[in-house]
Amino acid sequence: MPFIAIAVAALAIGFEQLIQWKYGPMGIIAFVALSVGLKAKNNLISGIGAVILVMLLAQSG
């Protein structure tokens, strides 16, 4: 069980670093808002994070 938790944490940190590298500080803010909103089951915060991420993805494409 601890190995799975470490692997998931490593994947999350890697994903966060990838977003920061590609989309800068705004990508990190959006990712944090999305993850905090999902953990807290707050639809407004997670929706704001998702919208910002979608806008960043659409802008880069």
Side-chain angles (χ1 to χ4, degrees), residues 1-3 5 8 10-15 27 30 32 39 41 43-45 48-49 53-55 57-58:
M1 187 67 163
F3 178 72
V8 169
L11 286 173
I13 290 171
F15 184 69
V32 167
K39 289 265 187 196
K41 295 184 177 158
N43 291 336
L44 179 66
I45 295 175
I48 289 171
L53 277 177
V54 167
M55 288 172 50
L57 289 170

Side-chain angles (χ1 to χ4, degrees), residues 19-21 23-31 56:
I19 287 178
Q20 184 175 8
W21 169 71
Y23 301 111
M26 200 61 183
I28 284 296
I29 292 169
F31 180 70
L56 288 172

